[in-house]
Amino acid sequence: MRSKLSVVLVLIFVLALAAISPAQQPPPTFHFDGNSWWSHVKVLADDSLEGRDTGSEGLRKAQAYAVEQLQKAGLEPAGANGFYQVIRFNQYEVDESKSSLALVTNGQARPLSFADDAFISSRATRKSANISAPLVFIGYGLRIPEKNLDELAGLDLKGKIVVYIAGSPADIPTALASHYQTVAERWKSLSAAGVIGAITILNPASMDIPWSRISVNRNHPSMDLADAEFNDAPGQRLGVVCNPASAEQLFAGSGHTFAEIAALGKDRKPLPHFALAVSLNADAVIHTKTLESSNIVAKLAGSDPALKNEFVVLSAHIDHVGIGAPIGGDRIYNGAMDDGSGSALVLDIAASLKAHPERLQRSILFLLVTAEEKGLLGSKYFAAHPTVAPKSIVADVNVDMFLPIVPLKILKVEGIEESDLGARAAAIAESMGIKPIPDPEPLRNAFIRSDQYNFIKKGVPAVKCDVGFELGAPDQKIFKDWLTHRYHAPSDDVSQPVDLQSAATYEEFTRRLLLDTANTPARPRWKPDSFFRRYAAD
Ligand SMILES: [Zn+2]
């Protein structure tokens, strides 16, 4: 009796130990010091790689380096061609010398300056076009049935060019607003209404980059996946991007001003919708060519007989924007943080798992995608044509420009409320003494602006986490300044200050999130009330 009781007590003690959550266990030693990460960043962002543009020699060099590192870490190739998955692209370039835009009032045409007023977007103008069409202002241009929002209702849009301001009303949840602002979703409703083209006015309240810097690189060629299955905006004939500082002339004679619209848009208030008094003449000459670029895919196999056939994806984009207009005498857009930082993390985590192996039940897929800067194209291709069974991907942890420029005290978790992967990321952050928060700046649309979004659309729970700040805290200005001066600029290079301890802590967080997801028997699931759960149907 007695001895039996002691056995039971010991058992209870053992079970209690096993049930202690990670938060209560003594923290395992850190696996990172920031230095190995930084050494990878230095290679990837070196001037000799010329900013790693999709299709360029510089990107191929970066990829060769990555493959060498992944091999060194003992990973298996998991692409279609060894570590590589080759993808075909079309490239589009506006020939401004043969193109023009003009606003027409009472038969009088007034030309717009490409540099200062508005330019033709080759991303949204795939073929040469000569168009004259009336303009209609459609607010944010959103149709969101879930929230009974239909900004196109009651407007005659057939054969028209619509004008909208980037953004969304405040009562629309971030993820939902982001989703409906994607090219594909937006075009579905515009196209159904008979629209032939669109002018996007950038929202001064959410511009990461000042107009001068956007404009100076406006003629950088755009790309799309060559296969027709990937055309997100069939039938769109023209896309124009408008400088908010020049937008007032679109509203002349309409009874409204852009100042009024911008003020409402800043506070995410509902916007009016009305026909404009001016129409647009557009002559767009587009040159096209084809090229190839690859994703890199590597695998660290799990050991569980069944679960090893399931994959947790760690993704980052290895491409950047290449060589562009000189700023301060520098033409190389090195992309040290965007996303040399994430690519370096992928290589560093692979190395850490070789140096300090962990028992893995599921397998981990290390994915370095191409053409993120061209519109998330490499990940779009991979999500549509994965090199492992599509249903075997259980989660995507995407790392893009996590910005270790301040100590990691706050972690912004994109997708925190959408799935239990988000909840797990939050719990792991908390266990490390880091405060997890949802996106404090929903207007920036970050949820759809990196590669995780292509996994989400295939039903795969995903998160993207970044070193963050709380609104109003002094750190906010550091991030704002970084975006204004370094984001997509030549100064995103290795001469900028970074916090190596912050990077190391972020890597440790990511490693724990991967291992925890690989070793938790249940797959991550969408929250029952998540909008994105619909993609996981069946
Ligand atoms: Zn970027």
Side-chain angles (χ1 to χ4, degrees):
M1 192 73 174
R2 194 173 202 123
S3 72
K4 215 172 179 183
L5 179 64
S6 69
V7 166
V8 168
L9 283 176
V10 166
L11 251 180
I12 287 173
F13 181 64
V14 167
L15 286 173
L17 265 187
I20 287 178
S21 74
Q24 291 158 300
Q25 283 172 1
T29 47
F30 267 43
H31 298 85
F32 306 93
D33 61 9
N35 291 312
S36 51
W37 169 78
W38 185 239
S39 70
H40 292 312
V41 175
K42 279 200 213 153
V43 173
L44 296 170
D46 192 84
D47 277 356
S48 66
L49 269 52
E50 299 186 321
R52 308 188 305 279
D53 199 7
T54 299
S56 73
E57 188 53 35
L59 179 57
R60 281 190 287 276
K61 280 188 199 164
Q63 291 175 321
Y65 173 77
V67 166
E68 189 187 303
Q69 297 300 313
L70 294 169
Q71 273 173 324
K72 241 196 241 176
L75 300 197
E76 298 168 41
N81 239 318
F83 287 92
Y84 291 86
Q85 179 185 41
V86 181
I87 307 170
R88 291 183 308 121
F89 296 90
N90 291 330
Q91 176 175 293
Y92 307 90
E93 196 166 6
V94 179
D95 185 342
E96 282 194 350
S97 68
K98 300 194 175 90
S99 304
S100 63
L101 292 174
L103 292 178
V104 183
T105 319
N106 303 324
Q108 292 283 90
R110 198 155 27 91
L112 294 173
S113 150
F114 290 131
D116 300 327
D117 298 328
F119 61 83
I120 296 163
S121 159
S122 59
R123 251 185 204 188
T125 314
R126 298 307 200 191
K127 277 195 289 215
S128 296
N130 192 301
I131 301 172
S132 297
L135 301 177
V136 181
F137 182 69
I138 56 171
Y140 302 105
L142 295 173
R143 254 197 90 234
I144 304 184
E146 291 83 352
K147 290 285 167 187
N148 293 316
L149 174 69
D150 185 355
E151 298 195 271
L152 313 184
L155 297 171
D156 173 16
L157 298 176
K158 200 163 167 40
K160 307 281 168 62
I161 291 172
V162 291
V163 178
Y164 64 83
I165 183 166
S168 59
D171 60 336
I172 310 293
T174 310
L176 198 58
S178 297
H179 170 76
Y180 277 104
Q181 287 178 80
T182 56
V183 171
E185 290 305 318
R186 194 190 281 283
W187 185 250
K188 264 184 222 163
S189 43
L190 293 180
S191 166
V195 170
I196 59 167
I199 299 177
T200 309
I201 306 173
L202 300 176
N203 189 332
S206 64
M207 284 171 76
D208 284 344
I209 302 182
W211 175 264
S212 58
R213 285 217 288 111
I214 294 172
S215 171
V216 83
N217 280 311
R218 66 187 182 275
N219 286 324
H220 206 82
S222 68
M223 291 183 196
D224 207 351
L225 293 162
D227 302 333
E229 66 175 287
F230 295 110
N231 186 352
D232 279 345
Q236 177 166 8
R237 295 179 60 203
L238 181 74
V240 170
V241 178
C242 179
N243 181 358
S246 294
E248 209 60 79
Q249 49 192 319
L250 292 170
F251 293 84
S254 70
H256 295 267
T257 64
F258 179 66
E260 156 204 340
I261 301 295
L264 293 168
K266 180 170 187 283
D267 295 332
R268 307 185 67 199
K269 294 206 172 119
L271 294 175
H273 313 98
F274 47 89
L276 293 166
V278 298
S279 62
L280 184 76
N281 283 355
D283 199 353
V285 174
I286 310 290
H287 299 307
T288 312
K289 69 172 198 181
T290 60
L291 55 95
E292 281 185 355
S293 187
S294 301
N295 292 330
I296 307 282
V297 201
K299 172 173 107 168
L300 182 62
S303 58
D304 181 90
L307 291 182
K308 72 176 183 190
N309 296 317
E310 294 185 350
F311 296 88
V312 180
V313 173
L314 172 64
S315 56
H317 73 88
I318 191 164
D319 68 297
H320 190 55
V321 299
I323 292 177
I327 296 177
D330 189 356
R331 301 181 60 220
I332 300 175
Y333 288 56
N334 305 75
M337 294 301 108
D338 185 12
D339 185 25
S341 64
S343 301
L345 170 142
V346 169
L347 305 181
D348 212 27
I349 288 196
S352 88
L353 286 166
K354 181 174 168 86
H356 307 280
E358 295 270 350
R359 208 173 66 86
L360 278 178
Q361 297 189 318
R362 290 194 179 85
S363 300
I364 299 182
L365 214 55
F366 294 74
L367 176 63
L368 291 171
V369 295
T370 186
E372 188 272 354
E373 301 288 5
K374 310 297 178 192
L376 317 184
L377 300 180
S379 57
K380 190 176 183 181
Y381 188 86
F382 183 86
H385 301 285
T387 54
V388 297
K391 298 261 179 275
S392 69
I393 300 175
V394 306
D396 174 46
V397 175
N398 187 45
V399 179
D400 185 3
M401 213 172 90
F402 64 93
L403 288 186
I405 54 177
V406 301
L408 177 48
K409 300 257 165 50
I410 307 280
L411 186 74
K412 178 178 76 177
V413 183
E414 302 284 344
I416 192 170
E417 279 143 10
E418 305 297 334
S419 71
D420 46 33
L421 183 67
R424 175 175 298 142
I428 291 171
E430 270 165 4
S431 78
M432 296 174 69
I434 299 163
K435 183 178 178 187
I437 59 165
D439 191 346
E441 299 173 295
L443 270 179
R444 287 189 61 235
N445 240 352
F447 194 62
I448 63 163
R449 280 173 54 179
S450 189
D451 295 302
Q452 72 278 358
Y453 200 63
N454 286 315
F455 287 92
I456 292 167
K457 285 200 289 184
K458 296 293 178 187
V460 177
V463 285
K464 174 178 176 287
C465 305
D466 303 297
V467 178
F469 57 86
E470 289 188 284
L471 287 182
D475 281 353
Q476 181 172 3
K477 186 175 169 353
I478 297 177
F479 284 91
K480 177 70 188 159
D481 285 350
W482 192 93
L483 290 173
T484 304
H485 300 295
R486 296 194 193 269
Y487 176 56
H488 281 210
S491 57
D492 177 13
D493 63 14
V494 295
S495 70
Q496 68 188 294
V498 292
D499 182 332
L500 294 186
Q501 187 53 48
S502 179
T505 308
Y506 180 91
E507 288 189 288
E508 186 64 35
F509 159 79
T510 306
R511 186 183 145 118
R512 291 184 195 183
L513 178 58
L514 288 172
L515 292 174
D516 203 40
T517 308
N519 290 334
T520 301
R523 294 169 72 122
R525 297 170 71 93
W526 294 98
K527 294 276 171 64
D529 59 348
S530 170
F531 168 80
F532 300 99
R533 187 169 168 242
R534 67 184 59 194
Y535 297 116
D538 88 8

